[in-house]
Structure formats: C-alpha cells, structure tokens
C-alpha cells in the first residue's frame, strides 16, 4: 500500500512538471517578436476575426500566411507606413495568396501610432 501511494505521488509530480514545461512556450509565444522596421515604418500585426475564412493576406504585394489558429498574429518581416494611409490589402481563403482563393473580407487598418512598432490590421466584421 505504501509503495502504491509513493508511486501515485511520483506520477502526480511528473504530470505537474509536464504541465509546467508545456505552459512556458505558450506564455513566450504571446509576446510579439521584435520588429526591426526602419524609421517611419512598422511591422504588421493582424487580428483575424473571420473564423477560418481567411488563411493568408497580401499587404502591398507581400503574402503572409496564418500558420496557427490564433486570432492575433505578428509578421515582423512585413512592413508598412507606421500611420496614415491604409496599405493595399487582399484576403484569401488559401494559405499562399492564390488568386483563385481571393475573397473580400472587410479590412480595417489602425491609423494611429504603432504599439511596439507594430501596426494593426483587423480582418472581419469585428471592427465594424
């Protein structure tokens, strides 16, 4: 009985340690990657509120794919003007901006100053 209890406690401790290990990457992933945009520009951050209708977007001709189902995603490799005019943005149901998968989801760019040097674009009806 005593050995069985010790085994159960040990197994419980191992499970708790596994939970701790798996929780750490999720917390780290919630932090945006550092944006290295030049002066007057900002990296792109996207809130995708389309519930699976958009899997990639083209921003000023640069295609970015949504690799996870996360609503908010950061793209430090894509830069736009840090404020002001709305960049040309097309939405696609496909993952690689295929012309045959272009759709017409509503797009809204924040026009104010960028936070953490990211400029946000909202896709879907959540911004209307």
């Amino acid at each position: 009985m005593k050995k069985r209890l010790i085994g159960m406690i040990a197994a419980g401790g191992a499970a708790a340690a596994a939970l701790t290990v798996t929780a750490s990457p999720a917390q780290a992933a919630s932090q945006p990657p550092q944006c290295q945009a030049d002066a007057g520009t900002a990296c792109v951050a996207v809130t995708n509120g389309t519930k699976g209708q958009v899997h990639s977007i083209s921003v000023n001709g640069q295609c970015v794919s949504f690799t996870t189902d996360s609503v908010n995603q950061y793209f430090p490799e894509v830069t736009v003007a840090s404020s002001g005019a709305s960049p040309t943005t097309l939405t696609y149901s496909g993952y690689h901006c295929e012309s045959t998968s272009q759709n017409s989801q509503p797009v809204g760019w924040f026009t104010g100053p960028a936070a953490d040097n990211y400029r946000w674009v909202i896709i879907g009806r959540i911004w209307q």
Side-chain angles (χ1 to χ4, degrees), residues 14-100:
L19 287 176
T20 303
V21 171
T22 57
S24 295
Q27 292 170 349
S30 66
Q31 297 297 319
Q34 187 172 8
C35 174
Q36 299 292 330
D38 294 332
T41 63
C43 297
V44 173
V46 178
T47 296
N48 182 359
T50 65
K51 296 182 174 86
Q53 294 178 18
V54 172
H55 294 108
S56 61
I57 62 171
S58 173
V59 178
N60 290 340
Q62 298 177 74
C63 181
V64 295
S65 297
F66 304 143
T67 56
T68 68
D69 290 334
S70 176
V71 173
N72 295 326
Q73 297 192 41
Y74 299 90
F75 299 96
E77 70 279 6
V78 179
T79 59
V80 295
S82 58
S83 63
S86 296
T88 301
T89 309
L90 302 173
T91 61
Y92 301 86
S93 60
Y95 288 89
H96 305 287
C97 299
E98 304 93 338
S99 61
T100 57

